[in-house]
């Protein structure tokens, strides 16, 4: 399912909070999950580059790793304080970026249902939009937009950010959610991002999680 929302509110919230666009979107996602599930303990899967060690600099291949980002959403806190907690959690998580995900699962020994992913059921990626042109002598290169075909999680957001807009795709488990439910979840994420760019002293429980479409119904 295509996803699109303005990049300006994300950048504004990141500047105000002294953090990154990824932290802003992750915070909005955590608030959305808290509002819909009632759980204050939210775990989101995030990717890491896996190339922190100098020895990997000149080695081709896929070195990406996955980390569980554990966030606590307290409805009594302000959005600014909640964003600060996400920033701190991201800093702490990236200190362990080299730890293989399989090792984390082995030590955590989580209980899970058959077929479910361990530790988290929501994945978030947010990358800068790559250049539309690639200069390779003797070759003409065209970038193809290929939406993700499947996901092993309940929800997966695959997003790219440029100066004006954040675009990408939401893939979801069709065994658990109808298309309309997934679309509303995506729209609510955009609405919460806009709220984070507003009054940083607004309390989380007062943040409107309804999308524009839901508000006019």
């Amino acid at each position: 399912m295509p996803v699109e929302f303005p990049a300006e509110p994300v950048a504004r919230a990141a500047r105000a909070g002294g953090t990154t666009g990824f932290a802003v979107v992750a915070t909005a996602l955590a608030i959305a999950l808290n509002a819909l599930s009632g759980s204050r303990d939210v775990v989101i899967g995030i990717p890491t580059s896996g190339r922190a060690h100098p020895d990997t600099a000149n080695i081709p291949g896929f070195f990406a790793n996955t980390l569980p980002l554990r966030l606590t959403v307290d409805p009594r806190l302000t959005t600014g304080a909640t964003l600060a907690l996400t920033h701190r959690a991201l800093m702490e998580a990236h200190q362990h970026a080299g730890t293989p995900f399989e090792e984390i699962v082995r030590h955590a020994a989580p209980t899970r249902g058959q077929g479910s992913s361990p530790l988290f059921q929501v994945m978030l990626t947010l990358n800068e939009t790559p250049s539309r042109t690639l200069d390779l002598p003797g070759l003409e290169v065209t970038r193809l937009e290929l939406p993700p075909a499947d996901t092993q999680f309940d929800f997966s957001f695959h997003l790219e950010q440029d100066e004006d807009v954040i675009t990408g795709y939401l893939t979801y488990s069709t065994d658990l959610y109808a298309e309309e439910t997934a679309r509303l979840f995506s729209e609510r994420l955009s609405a919460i991002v806009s709220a984070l760019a507003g009054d940083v002293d607004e309390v989380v429980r007062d943040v409107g999680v309804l999308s524009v479409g839901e508000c006019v119904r």
Side-chain angles (χ1 to χ4, degrees):
M1 173 181 297
V3 175
E4 180 176 323
F5 53 91
E8 193 276 334
V10 174
R12 182 158 26 108
R15 287 192 301 269
T19 187
T20 64
F22 188 95
V24 173
V25 177
T27 300
L29 183 55
I31 292 174
L33 292 170
N34 165 259
L36 295 175
S37 69
S39 175
R40 297 187 180 190
D41 191 10
V42 177
V43 183
I44 301 169
I46 62 171
T48 63
S49 67
R51 288 186 175 273
H53 197 282
D55 289 348
T56 63
N58 297 317
I59 301 176
F62 187 72
F63 287 86
N65 188 28
T66 301
L67 292 175
L69 176 66
R70 188 173 187 176
L71 303 174
T72 299
V73 181
D74 187 339
R76 299 168 297 179
L77 293 180
T78 64
T79 57
T82 304
L83 179 57
L85 289 175
T86 300
H87 177 82
R88 185 185 308 165
L90 278 168
M91 296 290 289
E92 293 174 352
H94 282 297
Q95 290 179 2
H96 307 282
T99 305
F101 181 69
E102 293 78 8
E103 283 295 304
I104 299 175
V105 173
R106 185 172 67 84
H107 283 284
T111 58
R112 51 175 170 161
Q114 184 176 4
S116 65
S117 173
L119 302 182
F120 58 85
Q121 284 77 48
V122 179
M123 184 77 182
L124 172 65
T125 63
L126 175 61
N127 304 309
E128 291 185 359
T129 303
S131 173
R132 297 286 175 177
T133 60
L134 184 61
D135 186 14
L136 296 175
L139 294 176
E140 181 178 338
V141 180
T142 301
R143 185 182 181 218
L144 299 178
E145 299 287 347
L146 297 176
D150 200 1
T151 181
Q152 66 187 96
F153 309 108
D154 292 0
F155 285 110
S156 293
F157 283 93
H158 314 266
L159 306 177
E160 292 183 350
Q161 178 176 0
D162 62 21
E163 293 182 359
D164 300 319
V165 68
I166 292 177
T167 58
Y169 295 93
L170 166 61
T171 55
Y172 59 94
S173 171
T174 55
D175 291 337
L176 298 175
Y177 304 103
E179 181 179 354
E180 180 65 15
T181 303
R183 179 177 293 105
L184 288 176
F185 188 80
S186 175
E187 292 174 354
R188 286 175 174 180
L189 179 65
S190 178
I192 296 171
V193 165
S194 296
L196 290 176
D199 183 5
V200 296
D201 293 324
E202 183 177 16
V203 177
V204 168
R205 63 169 169 251
D206 295 334
V207 172
V209 299
L210 298 183
S211 68
V212 175
E214 290 175 286
C215 290
V216 300
R217 290 175 185 173

